[in-house]
Amino acid sequence: QVQLVESGGGLVQPGGSLRLSCAASGSIFRIYTMGWYRRAPGKERELVAEIDSGGNINYGDSVKGRFTFSRDNTKNTVYLQMNSPRPEDTAVYYCHAEISSRGLYANYWGQGTQVTVSS
């Protein structure tokens, strides 16, 4: 059983900062991709940032230059440093990973963490 557990969401003021974490646990053979998506009310889910199997980090256009993605391979954990967030960054943030576990390859999602940007 593979689990993705997010933490770090909450209320943040515009221009402040917030860091999200996502830890993968369970019987993991290999993590191919891992990162963050978000869904704002009334909008489609969109990519925030994700690292692919080649180590390349892809950012969504709306967060480039403001958010920073990082990874700690020793802990199977990824982070999202949100600097200068804006009210339009308010959304539920989901951790996502493509993982092979016990001979099976699958997509996994975390339960989501709410981020609200408001003064």
Side-chain angles (χ1 to χ4, degrees):
Q1 185 81 11
V2 173
Q3 284 189 316
L4 301 179
V5 179
E6 302 120 332
S7 61
L11 175 65
V12 59
Q13 293 187 342
S17 64
L18 194 69
R19 190 174 85 153
L20 305 183
S21 301
C22 173
S25 63
S27 181
I28 297 171
F29 176 71
R30 181 179 175 183
I31 298 175
Y32 293 89
T33 69
M34 193 167 180
W36 298 93
Y37 287 74
R38 70 185 183 186
R39 186 190 296 271
K43 295 187 177 181
E44 297 290 321
R45 183 175 63 199
E46 65 173 348
L47 170 70
V48 180
E50 192 167 58
I51 190 165
D52 64 21
S53 57
N56 303 301
I57 299 172
N58 300 303
Y59 289 95
D61 289 340
S62 61
V63 306
K64 285 179 181 176
R66 299 188 298 120
F67 293 3
T68 302
F69 178 92
S70 61
R71 177 181 67 178
D72 184 339
N73 287 334
T74 65
K75 298 179 180 179
N76 286 337
T77 298
V78 296
Y79 306 93
L80 184 70
Q81 180 66 42
M82 305 172 60
N83 293 328
S84 299
R86 304 165 181 165
E88 54 265 37
D89 294 318
T90 295
V92 179
Y93 285 69
Y94 296 93
C95 184
H96 167 259
E98 297 175 342
I99 294 173
S100 60
S101 171
R102 299 182 178 179
L104 297 176
Y105 170 91
N107 283 284
Y108 294 89
W109 292 91
Q111 78 283 359
T113 185
Q114 175 71 46
V115 173
T116 302
V117 184
S118 175
S119 56

PDB file of all heavy atoms in Angstrom, residues 40-73:
ATOM      1  N   ALA A  40      -8.833  24.929  -7.963  1.00  0.00           N
ATOM      2  CA  ALA A  40      -9.538  26.060  -7.357  1.00  0.00           C
ATOM      3  C   ALA A  40     -11.033  25.899  -7.596  1.00  0.00           C
ATOM      4  O   ALA A  40     -11.440  25.209  -8.549  1.00  0.00           O
ATOM      5  CB  ALA A  40      -9.042  27.361  -7.970  1.00  0.00           C
ATOM      6  N   PRO A  41     -11.850  26.509  -6.763  1.00  0.00           N
ATOM      7  CA  PRO A  41     -13.305  26.392  -6.935  1.00  0.00           C
ATOM      8  C   PRO A  41     -13.736  26.807  -8.333  1.00  0.00           C
ATOM      9  O   PRO A  41     -13.358  27.879  -8.815  1.00  0.00           O
ATOM     10  CB  PRO A  41     -13.858  27.347  -5.884  1.00  0.00           C
ATOM     11  CG  PRO A  41     -12.795  27.410  -4.843  1.00  0.00           C
ATOM     12  CD  PRO A  41     -11.501  27.315  -5.580  1.00  0.00           C
ATOM     13  N   GLY A  42     -14.491  25.938  -8.995  1.00  0.00           N
ATOM     14  CA  GLY A  42     -15.012  26.257 -10.313  1.00  0.00           C
ATOM     15  C   GLY A  42     -14.019  26.146 -11.447  1.00  0.00           C
ATOM     16  O   GLY A  42     -14.328  26.505 -12.583  1.00  0.00           O
ATOM     17  N   LYS A  43     -12.819  25.644 -11.149  1.00  0.00           N
ATOM     18  CA  LYS A  43     -11.791  25.549 -12.180  1.00  0.00           C
ATOM     19  C   LYS A  43     -11.320  24.108 -12.342  1.00  0.00           C
ATOM     20  O   LYS A  43     -11.525  23.271 -11.469  1.00  0.00           O
ATOM     21  CB  LYS A  43     -10.610  26.453 -11.851  1.00  0.00           C
ATOM     22  CG  LYS A  43     -10.955  27.934 -11.860  1.00  0.00           C
ATOM     23  CD  LYS A  43      -9.714  28.777 -11.689  1.00  0.00           C
ATOM     24  CE  LYS A  43     -10.046  30.260 -11.771  1.00  0.00           C
ATOM     25  NZ  LYS A  43      -8.828  31.108 -11.624  1.00  0.00           N
ATOM     26  N   GLU A  44     -10.647  23.861 -13.460  1.00  0.00           N
ATOM     27  CA  GLU A  44     -10.071  22.550 -13.700  1.00  0.00           C
ATOM     28  C   GLU A  44      -8.801  22.373 -12.862  1.00  0.00           C
ATOM     29  O   GLU A  44      -8.143  23.342 -12.482  1.00  0.00           O
ATOM     30  CB  GLU A  44      -9.715  22.401 -15.184  1.00  0.00           C
ATOM     31  CG  GLU A  44     -10.907  22.467 -16.128  1.00  0.00           C
ATOM     32  CD  GLU A  44     -11.776  21.236 -15.995  1.00  0.00           C
ATOM     33  OE1 GLU A  44     -11.216  20.131 -15.829  1.00  0.00           O
ATOM     34  OE2 GLU A  44     -13.018  21.371 -16.025  1.00  0.00           O
ATOM     35  N   ARG A  45      -8.461  21.123 -12.627  1.00  0.00           N
ATOM     36  CA  ARG A  45      -7.203  20.838 -11.946  1.00  0.00           C
ATOM     37  C   ARG A  45      -6.042  21.250 -12.848  1.00  0.00           C
ATOM     38  O   ARG A  45      -6.074  21.047 -14.060  1.00  0.00           O
ATOM     39  CB  ARG A  45      -7.104  19.347 -11.643  1.00  0.00           C
ATOM     40  CG  ARG A  45      -5.866  18.943 -10.864  1.00  0.00           C
ATOM     41  CD  ARG A  45      -5.928  17.476 -10.513  1.00  0.00           C
ATOM     42  NE  ARG A  45      -5.935  16.636 -11.705  1.00  0.00           N
ATOM     43  CZ  ARG A  45      -6.339  15.376 -11.727  1.00  0.00           C
ATOM     44  NH1 ARG A  45      -6.791  14.810 -10.617  1.00  0.00           N
ATOM     45  NH2 ARG A  45      -6.295  14.684 -12.847  1.00  0.00           N
ATOM     46  N   GLU A  46      -5.014  21.826 -12.242  1.00  0.00           N
ATOM     47  CA  GLU A  46      -3.874  22.278 -13.038  1.00  0.00           C
ATOM     48  C   GLU A  46      -2.559  21.909 -12.373  1.00  0.00           C
ATOM     49  O   GLU A  46      -2.471  21.781 -11.142  1.00  0.00           O
ATOM     50  CB  GLU A  46      -3.924  23.797 -13.261  1.00  0.00           C
ATOM     51  CG  GLU A  46      -3.776  24.629 -12.007  1.00  0.00           C
ATOM     52  CD  GLU A  46      -3.654  26.120 -12.306  1.00  0.00           C
ATOM     53  OE1 GLU A  46      -3.448  26.501 -13.480  1.00  0.00           O
ATOM     54  OE2 GLU A  46      -3.750  26.912 -11.352  1.00  0.00           O
ATOM     55  N   LEU A  47      -1.552  21.785 -13.215  1.00  0.00           N
ATOM     56  CA  LEU A  47      -0.221  21.500 -12.723  1.00  0.00           C
ATOM     57  C   LEU A  47       0.334  22.709 -11.986  1.00  0.00           C
ATOM     58  O   LEU A  47       0.239  23.834 -12.463  1.00  0.00           O
ATOM     59  CB  LEU A  47       0.707  21.155 -13.897  1.00  0.00           C
ATOM     60  CG  LEU A  47       2.200  21.061 -13.580  1.00  0.00           C
ATOM     61  CD1 LEU A  47       2.498  19.836 -12.737  1.00  0.00           C
ATOM     62  CD2 LEU A  47       3.023  21.058 -14.861  1.00  0.00           C
ATOM     63  N   VAL A  48       0.939  22.449 -10.835  1.00  0.00           N
ATOM     64  CA  VAL A  48       1.683  23.481 -10.123  1.00  0.00           C
ATOM     65  C   VAL A  48       3.177  23.264 -10.373  1.00  0.00           C
ATOM     66  O   VAL A  48       3.863  24.129 -10.914  1.00  0.00           O
ATOM     67  CB  VAL A  48       1.389  23.460  -8.619  1.00  0.00           C
ATOM     68  CG1 VAL A  48       2.196  24.551  -7.909  1.00  0.00           C
ATOM     69  CG2 VAL A  48      -0.104  23.650  -8.353  1.00  0.00           C
ATOM     70  N   ALA A  49       3.680  22.104  -9.986  1.00  0.00           N
ATOM     71  CA  ALA A  49       5.084  21.774 -10.230  1.00  0.00           C
ATOM     72  C   ALA A  49       5.271  20.280 -10.045  1.00  0.00           C
ATOM     73  O   ALA A  49       4.659  19.686  -9.146  1.00  0.00           O
ATOM     74  CB  ALA A  49       6.009  22.531  -9.280  1.00  0.00           C
ATOM     75  N   GLU A  50       6.129  19.705 -10.872  1.00  0.00           N
ATOM     76  CA  GLU A  50       6.341  18.269 -10.791  1.00  0.00           C
ATOM     77  C   GLU A  50       7.722  17.936 -11.340  1.00  0.00           C
ATOM     78  O   GLU A  50       8.175  18.578 -12.292  1.00  0.00           O
ATOM     79  CB  GLU A  50       5.267  17.523 -11.579  1.00  0.00           C
ATOM     80  CG  GLU A  50       5.224  16.019 -11.315  1.00  0.00           C
ATOM     81  CD  GLU A  50       3.962  15.399 -11.867  1.00  0.00           C
ATOM     82  OE1 GLU A  50       3.728  15.528 -13.082  1.00  0.00           O
ATOM     83  OE2 GLU A  50       3.212  14.779 -11.094  1.00  0.00           O
ATOM     84  N   ILE A  51       8.337  16.922 -10.750  1.00  0.00           N
ATOM     85  CA  ILE A  51       9.633  16.463 -11.231  1.00  0.00           C
ATOM     86  C   ILE A  51       9.430  15.153 -11.972  1.00  0.00           C
ATOM     87  O   ILE A  51       8.689  14.275 -11.509  1.00  0.00           O
ATOM     88  CB  ILE A  51      10.640  16.301 -10.068  1.00  0.00           C
ATOM     89  CG1 ILE A  51      12.040  16.051 -10.602  1.00  0.00           C
ATOM     90  CG2 ILE A  51      10.214  15.228  -9.076  1.00  0.00           C
ATOM     91  CD1 ILE A  51      13.122  16.246  -9.555  1.00  0.00           C
ATOM     92  N   ASP A  52      10.058  15.043 -13.144  1.00  0.00           N
ATOM     93  CA  ASP A  52       9.861  13.830 -13.932  1.00  0.00           C
ATOM     94  C   ASP A  52      10.974  12.830 -13.665  1.00  0.00           C
ATOM     95  O   ASP A  52      11.868  13.074 -12.844  1.00  0.00           O
ATOM     96  CB  ASP A  52       9.732  14.166 -15.417  1.00  0.00           C
ATOM     97  CG  ASP A  52      10.994  14.770 -16.023  1.00  0.00           C
ATOM     98  OD1 ASP A  52      12.097  14.577 -15.451  1.00  0.00           O
ATOM     99  OD2 ASP A  52      10.876  15.439 -17.066  1.00  0.00           O
ATOM    100  N   SER A  53      10.924  11.713 -14.360  1.00  0.00           N
ATOM    101  CA  SER A  53      11.865  10.633 -14.103  1.00  0.00           C
ATOM    102  C   SER A  53      13.298  10.999 -14.470  1.00  0.00           C
ATOM    103  O   SER A  53      14.241  10.361 -14.011  1.00  0.00           O
ATOM    104  CB  SER A  53      11.444   9.372 -14.862  1.00  0.00           C
ATOM    105  OG  SER A  53      11.359   9.645 -16.245  1.00  0.00           O
ATOM    106  N   GLY A  54      13.440  12.044 -15.297  1.00  0.00           N
ATOM    107  CA  GLY A  54      14.773  12.500 -15.665  1.00  0.00           C
ATOM    108  C   GLY A  54      15.326  13.567 -14.745  1.00  0.00           C
ATOM    109  O   GLY A  54      16.420  14.093 -14.977  1.00  0.00           O
ATOM    110  N   GLY A  55      14.550  13.940 -13.731  1.00  0.00           N
ATOM    111  CA  GLY A  55      14.993  14.965 -12.799  1.00  0.00           C
ATOM    112  C   GLY A  55      14.646  16.372 -13.224  1.00  0.00           C
ATOM    113  O   GLY A  55      15.102  17.343 -12.613  1.00  0.00           O
ATOM    114  N   ASN A  56      13.856  16.517 -14.269  1.00  0.00           N
ATOM    115  CA  ASN A  56      13.458  17.836 -14.735  1.00  0.00           C
ATOM    116  C   ASN A  56      12.237  18.304 -13.959  1.00  0.00           C
ATOM    117  O   ASN A  56      11.297  17.542 -13.750  1.00  0.00           O
ATOM    118  CB  ASN A  56      13.123  17.790 -16.227  1.00  0.00           C
ATOM    119  CG  ASN A  56      14.270  17.266 -17.057  1.00  0.00           C
ATOM    120  OD1 ASN A  56      15.355  17.833 -17.034  1.00  0.00           O
ATOM    121  ND2 ASN A  56      14.056  16.167 -17.761  1.00  0.00           N
ATOM    122  N   ILE A  57      12.249  19.560 -13.587  1.00  0.00           N
ATOM    123  CA  ILE A  57      11.124  20.139 -12.852  1.00  0.00           C
ATOM    124  C   ILE A  57      10.305  20.991 -13.806  1.00  0.00           C
ATOM    125  O   ILE A  57      10.841  21.873 -14.475  1.00  0.00           O
ATOM    126  CB  ILE A  57      11.610  20.995 -11.677  1.00  0.00           C
ATOM    127  CG1 ILE A  57      12.411  20.135 -10.692  1.00  0.00           C
ATOM    128  CG2 ILE A  57      10.408  21.631 -10.961  1.00  0.00           C
ATOM    129  CD1 ILE A  57      13.095  20.943  -9.603  1.00  0.00           C
ATOM    130  N   ASN A  58       9.040  20.709 -13.868  1.00  0.00           N
ATOM    131  CA  ASN A  58       8.121  21.463 -14.704  1.00  0.00           C
ATOM    132  C   ASN A  58       7.183  22.279 -13.821  1.00  0.00           C
ATOM    133  O   ASN A  58       6.578  21.737 -12.897  1.00  0.00           O
ATOM    134  CB  ASN A  58       7.308  20.510 -15.585  1.00  0.00           C
ATOM    135  CG  ASN A  58       8.189  19.686 -16.494  1.00  0.00           C
ATOM    136  OD1 ASN A  58       8.961  20.221 -17.282  1.00  0.00           O
ATOM    137  ND2 ASN A  58       8.106  18.367 -16.384  1.00  0.00           N
ATOM    138  N   TYR A  59       7.072  23.543 -14.127  1.00  0.00           N
ATOM    139  CA  TYR A  59       6.193  24.437 -13.383  1.00  0.00           C
ATOM    140  C   TYR A  59       5.016  24.861 -14.241  1.00  0.00           C
ATOM    141  O   TYR A  59       5.145  25.054 -15.449  1.00  0.00           O
ATOM    142  CB  TYR A  59       6.940  25.709 -12.949  1.00  0.00           C
ATOM    143  CG  TYR A  59       7.968  25.507 -11.866  1.00  0.00           C
ATOM    144  CD1 TYR A  59       9.311  25.306 -12.182  1.00  0.00           C
ATOM    145  CD2 TYR A  59       7.599  25.535 -10.532  1.00  0.00           C
ATOM    146  CE1 TYR A  59      10.257  25.137 -11.182  1.00  0.00           C
ATOM    147  CE2 TYR A  59       8.537  25.364  -9.525  1.00  0.00           C
ATOM    148  CZ  TYR A  59       9.868  25.167  -9.862  1.00  0.00           C
ATOM    149  OH  TYR A  59      10.805  25.005  -8.862  1.00  0.00           O
ATOM    150  N   GLY A  60       3.870  25.036 -13.583  1.00  0.00           N
ATOM    151  CA  GLY A  60       2.759  25.652 -14.262  1.00  0.00           C
ATOM    152  C   GLY A  60       3.077  27.117 -14.537  1.00  0.00           C
ATOM    153  O   GLY A  60       3.773  27.764 -13.742  1.00  0.00           O
ATOM    154  N   ASP A  61       2.552  27.640 -15.628  1.00  0.00           N
ATOM    155  CA  ASP A  61       2.882  29.012 -16.023  1.00  0.00           C
ATOM    156  C   ASP A  61       2.501  30.023 -14.950  1.00  0.00           C
ATOM    157  O   ASP A  61       3.186  31.036 -14.772  1.00  0.00           O
ATOM    158  CB  ASP A  61       2.170  29.362 -17.329  1.00  0.00           C
ATOM    159  CG  ASP A  61       2.751  28.618 -18.523  1.00  0.00           C
ATOM    160  OD1 ASP A  61       3.910  28.144 -18.425  1.00  0.00           O
ATOM    161  OD2 ASP A  61       2.047  28.499 -19.535  1.00  0.00           O
ATOM    162  N   SER A  62       1.431  29.767 -14.243  1.00  0.00           N
ATOM    163  CA  SER A  62       0.929  30.757 -13.285  1.00  0.00           C
ATOM    164  C   SER A  62       1.789  30.867 -12.031  1.00  0.00           C
ATOM    165  O   SER A  62       1.636  31.824 -11.269  1.00  0.00           O
ATOM    166  CB  SER A  62      -0.506  30.420 -12.890  1.00  0.00           C
ATOM    167  OG  SER A  62      -0.566  29.149 -12.275  1.00  0.00           O
ATOM    168  N   VAL A  63       2.691  29.924 -11.802  1.00  0.00           N
ATOM    169  CA  VAL A  63       3.499  29.964 -10.578  1.00  0.00           C
ATOM    170  C   VAL A  63       4.987  30.138 -10.846  1.00  0.00           C
ATOM    171  O   VAL A  63       5.774  30.271  -9.901  1.00  0.00           O
ATOM    172  CB  VAL A  63       3.284  28.698  -9.721  1.00  0.00           C
ATOM    173  CG1 VAL A  63       1.808  28.492  -9.434  1.00  0.00           C
ATOM    174  CG2 VAL A  63       3.898  27.465 -10.365  1.00  0.00           C
ATOM    175  N   LYS A  64       5.372  30.138 -12.103  1.00  0.00           N
ATOM    176  CA  LYS A  64       6.787  30.282 -12.433  1.00  0.00           C
ATOM    177  C   LYS A  64       7.354  31.567 -11.842  1.00  0.00           C
ATOM    178  O   LYS A  64       6.748  32.628 -11.944  1.00  0.00           O
ATOM    179  CB  LYS A  64       6.980  30.284 -13.952  1.00  0.00           C
ATOM    180  CG  LYS A  64       6.833  28.923 -14.590  1.00  0.00           C
ATOM    181  CD  LYS A  64       7.025  29.004 -16.100  1.00  0.00           C
ATOM    182  CE  LYS A  64       6.861  27.639 -16.744  1.00  0.00           C
ATOM    183  NZ  LYS A  64       6.956  27.699 -18.225  1.00  0.00           N
ATOM    184  N   GLY A  65       8.503  31.435 -11.210  1.00  0.00           N
ATOM    185  CA  GLY A  65       9.159  32.590 -10.613  1.00  0.00           C
ATOM    186  C   GLY A  65       8.689  32.917  -9.213  1.00  0.00           C
ATOM    187  O   GLY A  65       9.293  33.752  -8.536  1.00  0.00           O
ATOM    188  N   ARG A  66       7.618  32.280  -8.756  1.00  0.00           N
ATOM    189  CA  ARG A  66       7.102  32.565  -7.406  1.00  0.00           C
ATOM    190  C   ARG A  66       7.195  31.348  -6.501  1.00  0.00           C
ATOM    191  O   ARG A  66       7.467  31.477  -5.304  1.00  0.00           O
ATOM    192  CB  ARG A  66       5.649  33.026  -7.491  1.00  0.00           C
ATOM    193  CG  ARG A  66       5.441  34.289  -8.283  1.00  0.00           C
ATOM    194  CD  ARG A  66       4.007  34.788  -8.171  1.00  0.00           C
ATOM    195  NE  ARG A  66       3.049  33.828  -8.705  1.00  0.00           N
ATOM    196  CZ  ARG A  66       2.077  33.276  -7.999  1.00  0.00           C
ATOM    197  NH1 ARG A  66       1.946  33.562  -6.717  1.00  0.00           N
ATOM    198  NH2 ARG A  66       1.226  32.442  -8.568  1.00  0.00           N
ATOM    199  N   PHE A  67       6.918  30.176  -7.048  1.00  0.00           N
ATOM    200  CA  PHE A  67       6.947  28.943  -6.260  1.00  0.00           C
ATOM    201  C   PHE A  67       8.212  28.162  -6.614  1.00  0.00           C
ATOM    202  O   PHE A  67       8.669  28.178  -7.760  1.00  0.00           O
ATOM    203  CB  PHE A  67       5.729  28.084  -6.560  1.00  0.00           C
ATOM    204  CG  PHE A  67       4.422  28.670  -6.099  1.00  0.00           C
ATOM    205  CD1 PHE A  67       4.341  29.922  -5.513  1.00  0.00           C
ATOM    206  CD2 PHE A  67       3.245  27.941  -6.259  1.00  0.00           C
ATOM    207  CE1 PHE A  67       3.143  30.455  -5.094  1.00  0.00           C
ATOM    208  CE2 PHE A  67       2.024  28.452  -5.843  1.00  0.00           C
ATOM    209  CZ  PHE A  67       1.981  29.720  -5.270  1.00  0.00           C
ATOM    210  N   THR A  68       8.739  27.454  -5.621  1.00  0.00           N
ATOM    211  CA  THR A  68       9.932  26.641  -5.839  1.00  0.00           C
ATOM    212  C   THR A  68       9.682  25.213  -5.375  1.00  0.00           C
ATOM    213  O   THR A  68       9.249  24.990  -4.244  1.00  0.00           O
ATOM    214  CB  THR A  68      11.135  27.215  -5.077  1.00  0.00           C
ATOM    215  OG1 THR A  68      11.370  28.555  -5.495  1.00  0.00           O
ATOM    216  CG2 THR A  68      12.386  26.379  -5.350  1.00  0.00           C
ATOM    217  N   PHE A  69       9.976  24.300  -6.272  1.00  0.00           N
ATOM    218  CA  PHE A  69       9.801  22.870  -5.979  1.00  0.00           C
ATOM    219  C   PHE A  69      11.145  22.270  -5.595  1.00  0.00           C
ATOM    220  O   PHE A  69      12.180  22.612  -6.177  1.00  0.00           O
ATOM    221  CB  PHE A  69       9.273  22.175  -7.234  1.00  0.00           C
ATOM    222  CG  PHE A  69       9.092  20.694  -7.103  1.00  0.00           C
ATOM    223  CD1 PHE A  69       7.874  20.173  -6.705  1.00  0.00           C
ATOM    224  CD2 PHE A  69      10.136  19.819  -7.367  1.00  0.00           C
ATOM    225  CE1 PHE A  69       7.706  18.807  -6.576  1.00  0.00           C
ATOM    226  CE2 PHE A  69       9.973  18.457  -7.248  1.00  0.00           C
ATOM    227  CZ  PHE A  69       8.743  17.945  -6.852  1.00  0.00           C
ATOM    228  N   SER A  70      11.115  21.365  -4.614  1.00  0.00           N
ATOM    229  CA  SER A  70      12.334  20.653  -4.252  1.00  0.00           C
ATOM    230  C   SER A  70      11.989  19.238  -3.809  1.00  0.00           C
ATOM    231  O   SER A  70      10.820  18.922  -3.544  1.00  0.00           O
ATOM    232  CB  SER A  70      13.102  21.386  -3.154  1.00  0.00           C
ATOM    233  OG  SER A  70      12.328  21.495  -1.986  1.00  0.00           O
ATOM    234  N   ARG A  71      13.012  18.409  -3.740  1.00  0.00           N
ATOM    235  CA  ARG A  71      12.805  16.992  -3.421  1.00  0.00           C
ATOM    236  C   ARG A  71      13.918  16.493  -2.515  1.00  0.00           C
ATOM    237  O   ARG A  71      15.085  16.878  -2.684  1.00  0.00           O
ATOM    238  CB  ARG A  71      12.781  16.175  -4.716  1.00  0.00           C
ATOM    239  CG  ARG A  71      12.653  14.679  -4.529  1.00  0.00           C
ATOM    240  CD  ARG A  71      12.657  13.973  -5.879  1.00  0.00           C
ATOM    241  NE  ARG A  71      13.937  14.072  -6.564  1.00  0.00           N
ATOM    242  CZ  ARG A  71      14.191  13.492  -7.746  1.00  0.00           C
ATOM    243  NH1 ARG A  71      13.254  12.795  -8.353  1.00  0.00           N
ATOM    244  NH2 ARG A  71      15.369  13.636  -8.320  1.00  0.00           N
ATOM    245  N   ASP A  72      13.537  15.631  -1.581  1.00  0.00           N
ATOM    246  CA  ASP A  72      14.501  14.935  -0.733  1.00  0.00           C
ATOM    247  C   ASP A  72      14.333  13.451  -1.007  1.00  0.00           C
ATOM    248  O   ASP A  72      13.396  12.819  -0.496  1.00  0.00           O
ATOM    249  CB  ASP A  72      14.253  15.252   0.738  1.00  0.00           C
ATOM    250  CG  ASP A  72      15.306  14.626   1.653  1.00  0.00           C
ATOM    251  OD1 ASP A  72      15.971  13.649   1.244  1.00  0.00           O
ATOM    252  OD2 ASP A  72      15.455  15.119   2.783  1.00  0.00           O
ATOM    253  N   ASN A  73      15.224  12.902  -1.827  1.00  0.00           N
ATOM    254  CA  ASN A  73      15.092  11.499  -2.217  1.00  0.00           C
ATOM    255  C   ASN A  73      15.241  10.552  -1.029  1.00  0.00           C
ATOM    256  O   ASN A  73      14.671   9.462  -1.028  1.00  0.00           O
ATOM    257  CB  ASN A  73      16.132  11.160  -3.284  1.00  0.00           C
ATOM    258  CG  ASN A  73      15.795  11.774  -4.629  1.00  0.00           C
ATOM    259  OD1 ASN A  73      14.635  12.038  -4.926  1.00  0.00           O
ATOM    260  ND2 ASN A  73      16.808  12.024  -5.433  1.00  0.00           N
TER     261      ASN A  73
END
